Amino acid sequence: MTTLALGPSWLDPDYLLNTFGIWGLLAIVFAESGLLIGFFLPGDSLLFTTGLLITTKQLDFPLWLCVVLVCVAAILGDQAGYLFGKKVGPSLFNRPDSKLFKQENVVKAHDFFEKYGPKSLVLARFVPIVRTFTPIIAGVSGMKYRSFITFNIIGGVLWGAGVTMLGAWLGNIEFVHKNIEAILILIVLISVVPIAIEFLRARSKSKKAAAAEGDTPGESPASRGRHAKR
């Protein structure tokens, strides 16, 4: 079976599963979910391929158990990222002139999570690279732990179970086998759509707020027009 070939051969899902098995999969899911070194790992394609191989009997492991373990690994990975950001992050990135991070970015991240925190934790799960850094930034910015753990679990289950089950569901379709690269790329693109929508909404609100601040208090645009004519 030909799988996603967007990187080096040692990142190919087939190679990883054949070499390291389910336990290697769990380690990768954990690392990509919240460790800085895991941002380049192929989480989506690996989960999809795992579900596909299990349902086609090419990988001997119970699907239900795989789904449970993947969700646990994803949740624990984000937990590790959050704790790293909360305990170590500030000491590393709190200087304005830091090459790695700027103090103003910590403030911006805090404001972002205060406004979009729950949504961002769930949506970021489906976006490569973003899902690795989101829990770390959440910890650095001081996001409330209760909110973090709640949406960490929601996002971990939706991503871990959802992508794996999708691979299992589509595993017996011949078209999927022949076009798996295109399908995986499509999954990634679709996952970015909600974040793009949120970004456009936030941008539109910012423009409206800026326009409102430009208006003189107590004076309507029509009255300003009359004053200008005079």
Side-chain angles (χ1 to χ4, degrees):
M1 182 183 67
T2 301
T3 51
L4 191 64
L6 297 180
S9 59
W10 54 273
L11 286 180
D12 178 79
D14 271 340
Y15 172 80
L16 291 171
L17 290 170
N18 290 332
T19 304
F20 304 105
I22 292 294
W23 307 112
L25 162 69
L26 298 178
I28 289 173
V29 169
F30 178 87
E32 197 196 7
S33 294
L35 302 184
L36 288 174
I37 60 173
F39 70 92
F40 63 91
L41 296 171
D44 293 315
S45 59
L46 192 59
L47 291 181
F48 188 92
T49 302
T50 299
L52 190 152
L53 293 178
I54 289 177
T55 198
T56 56
K57 310 301 181 182
Q58 298 180 59
L59 187 60
D60 185 19
F61 199 86
L63 179 62
W64 70 268
L65 181 56
C66 176
V67 169
V68 171
L69 292 176
V70 164
C71 291
V72 171
I75 292 170
L76 292 179
D78 258 30
Q79 179 75 14
Y82 176 85
L83 293 176
F84 173 82
K86 190 175 183 63
K87 295 183 178 181
V88 182
S91 65
L92 294 176
F93 309 129
N94 62 359
R95 294 188 343 187
D97 58 348
S98 171
K99 294 181 179 180
L100 298 176
F101 209 79
K102 294 184 178 180
Q103 181 63 30
E104 62 181 280
N105 290 335
V106 176
V107 176
K108 289 179 180 178
H110 176 74
D111 294 340
F112 175 82
F113 281 106
E114 283 294 315
K115 192 171 185 179
Y116 302 109
K119 293 181 181 179
S120 68
L121 285 170
V122 175
L123 295 175
R125 283 286 190 178
F126 297 87
V127 184
I129 299 179
V130 174
R131 66 171 153 262
T132 303
F133 292 96
T134 295
I136 297 173
I137 298 300
V140 172
S141 64
M143 183 178 185
K144 293 181 180 179
Y145 182 74
R146 180 179 296 181
S147 296
F148 172 81
I149 193 62
T150 299
F151 289 93
N152 172 24
I153 293 174
I154 294 174
V157 171
L158 288 178
W159 178 64
V163 179
T164 305
M165 292 300 296
L166 181 63
W169 179 53
L170 298 176
N172 291 314
I173 301 176
E174 185 65 23
F175 175 82
V176 175
H177 288 267
K178 294 181 178 180
N179 300 277
I180 189 170
E181 290 192 13
I183 290 174
L184 291 172
I185 293 173
L186 180 62
I187 291 173
V188 173
L189 292 176
I190 291 176
S191 69
V192 175
V193 171
I195 290 181
I197 293 175
E198 284 297 325
F199 172 78
L200 292 175
R201 285 179 178 176
R203 186 176 181 182
S204 177
K205 289 181 180 179
S206 296
K207 288 183 177 180
K208 290 180 179 179
E213 290 178 358
D215 292 338
T216 303
E219 187 178 21
S220 68
S223 63
R224 287 200 305 275
R226 287 195 297 269
H227 288 315
K229 292 180 180 179
R230 294 176 186 175

